[in-house]
Amino acid sequence: MSEDVPQSASGGPPRRPGVGAIASLLAASVLLSRLLGYLRDVALADRVGAGAEADAYYAAFQIPDLLNYLLAGGALAIAFIPLYTRIRDSRGEAAAERLFANILGTIGSVSLVATVALWVYAEALIALQFPHFDAATSALTVRLTRIVL
């Protein structure tokens, strides 16, 4: 019995998307994210205006965004994708999937521990990062930071 293997229009094995297509998809998703963020900021400025509440809102994203950039942002992609590709090409798909599972588990664990630590120390970190905030704005910033985390 022959196994049914999907084939491309030319009759050969299916083609994987190239680096250009993947990079274009990533760039388009980042652009869409930035546009949606801009629209969010416009809506916030229209509804809340400038003031302590808006300051607290924007400040609340500082720490969670830093965590996101470090753990899931460009640094991970830059380090992981070439390694994953090299392992897949030299050792096979199973080895690459094990690498992916190990890295995903490690990043998940580090994210969880970092999120809990940032949650616990949010008040001290906000006081250190935004010493000019009054008590009410600082308390609102801590509350919003914990929600975002």
Side-chain angles (χ1 to χ4, degrees):
M1 258 194 194
S2 69
E3 198 175 303
D4 289 334
V5 176
Q7 295 187 353
S8 68
S10 64
R15 247 183 107 207
R16 293 181 188 222
V19 173
I22 294 170
S24 297
L25 178 63
L26 180 62
S29 65
V30 169
L31 178 63
L32 179 62
S33 171
R34 299 297 181 200
L35 288 174
L36 290 173
Y38 175 74
L39 292 175
R40 178 200 61 214
D41 289 349
V42 168
L44 183 68
D46 179 55
R47 296 289 181 183
V48 177
E53 292 85 9
D55 290 345
Y57 174 81
Y58 288 115
F61 279 89
Q62 296 296 313
I63 293 170
D65 278 351
L66 179 63
L67 180 64
N68 179 47
Y69 293 141
L70 292 175
L71 295 177
L76 178 65
I78 290 169
F80 174 70
I81 291 172
L83 180 61
Y84 178 84
T85 303
R86 192 171 337 127
I87 296 293
R88 188 189 68 208
D89 292 344
S90 66
R91 298 185 194 163
E93 195 72 33
E97 292 303 317
R98 281 193 306 277
L99 172 70
F100 177 72
N102 286 335
I103 291 192
L104 185 63
T106 302
I107 293 296
S109 299
V110 169
S111 295
L112 181 63
V113 169
T115 300
V116 168
L118 291 171
W119 178 280
V120 169
Y121 295 108
E123 193 169 340
L125 291 169
I126 295 301
L128 182 66
Q129 189 174 9
F130 302 101
H132 62 281
F133 279 2
D134 59 38
T137 304
S138 184
L140 179 59
T141 304
V142 168
R143 181 171 169 251
L144 292 174
T145 297
R146 287 178 171 157
I147 290 170
V148 174
L149 281 168

